[in-house]
């Protein structure tokens, strides 16, 4: 299973295609939620296990958290609901500040964010797939580099889809 970087890039790429083909029904707000959720998603469990095993502290907690996050029911409770509130709030902030383009001018609702956040049959299937028994072979430098690159990728997406960038092109 690829790490969070490729998940986010695939989600961002496919969501840009959906934005183009949906005539604005799939907005940059949807794309942002979809991509960030792909970054956090079930890989957050494997990241917590890797992180606690790397620092040598609370490894049993990290392993237990990974198992709980990979459960479709607990994923919705632990990450789905809190992230839906966060995504809805961020969407509202982006619309009110004019930071991210929205065809309708309306932010995403909590319900929309929850439905995009692990509450589908496909996501349930992804959450229930495999796990490994040994420590995850991940280089800490790679984690920093991927995190840095993903941050710039999302920042670039927000800049490209910002209202100011759109107004700059029109004039």
């Amino acid at each position: 299973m690829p790490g969070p970087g490729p998940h986010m890039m695939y989600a961002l790429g496919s969501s840009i295609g959906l934005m183009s083909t949906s005539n604005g029904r799939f907005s940059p707000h949807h794309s942002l939620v979809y991509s960030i959720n792909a970054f956090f998603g079930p890989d957050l469990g494997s990241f917590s296990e890797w992180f606690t095993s790397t620092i040598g502290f609370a490894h049993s907690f990290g392993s237990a958290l990974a198992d709980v996050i990979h459960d479709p029911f607990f994923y919705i409770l632990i990450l789905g609901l809190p992230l839906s509130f966060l995504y809805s709030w961020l969407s509202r902030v982006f619309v009110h500040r004019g930071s991210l383009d929205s065809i309708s001018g309306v932010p995403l609702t909590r319900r929309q964010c929850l439905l995009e956040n692990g509450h589908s049959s496909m996501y349930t299937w992804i959450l229930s797939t495999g796990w490994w028994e040994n420590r995850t072979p991940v280089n800490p430098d790679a984690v920093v580099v991927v995190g840095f690159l993903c941050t710039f990728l999302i920042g670039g997406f927000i800049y490209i889809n910002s209202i100011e960038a759109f107004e700059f092109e029109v004039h």
Side-chain angles (χ1 to χ4, degrees):
M1 180 181 291
H7 281 168
M8 190 180 79
M9 288 185 280
Y10 296 145
L12 194 58
S14 63
S15 66
I16 289 171
L18 287 169
M19 284 173 32
S20 298
T21 60
S22 70
N23 292 329
R25 289 180 54 213
F26 196 87
S27 70
H29 293 261
H30 292 96
S31 184
L32 189 62
V33 167
Y34 183 54
S35 301
I36 293 174
N37 194 48
F39 182 82
F40 284 129
D43 285 336
L44 190 60
S46 57
F47 175 77
S48 67
E49 184 172 26
W50 167 81
F51 184 70
T52 55
S53 68
T54 300
I55 62 172
F57 178 71
H59 178 67
S60 60
F61 172 74
S63 181
L65 184 62
D67 292 338
V68 170
I69 286 176
H70 269 268
D71 183 276
F73 177 73
F74 289 122
Y75 177 80
I76 293 170
L77 289 179
I78 293 171
L79 289 177
L81 287 173
L83 287 177
S84 68
F85 285 107
L86 175 67
Y87 295 152
S88 176
W89 176 76
L90 283 175
S91 179
R92 201 168 34 254
V93 167
F94 283 141
V95 166
H96 291 305
R97 286 188 180 170
S99 301
L100 193 60
D101 189 23
S102 174
I103 302 281
S104 65
V106 178
L108 297 177
T109 65
R110 291 181 185 129
R111 184 173 185 266
Q112 286 174 313
C113 294
L114 181 63
L115 292 176
E116 290 183 19
N117 196 13
H119 198 66
S120 67
S121 58
M122 174 65 91
Y123 217 82
T124 300
W125 176 77
I126 291 169
L127 285 171
S128 66
T129 57
W131 194 245
W132 53 84
E133 296 296 324
N134 297 329
R135 184 172 181 259
T136 315
V138 178
N139 182 350
D141 296 335
V143 172
V144 172
V145 169
V146 168
F148 184 73
L149 293 175
C150 288
T151 301
F152 275 98
L153 184 64
I154 290 295
F157 174 81
I158 291 172
Y159 175 74
I160 289 169
N161 288 288
S162 68
I163 292 174
E164 292 87 17
F166 180 71
E167 289 174 353
F168 181 72
E169 287 180 13
V170 173
H171 291 41

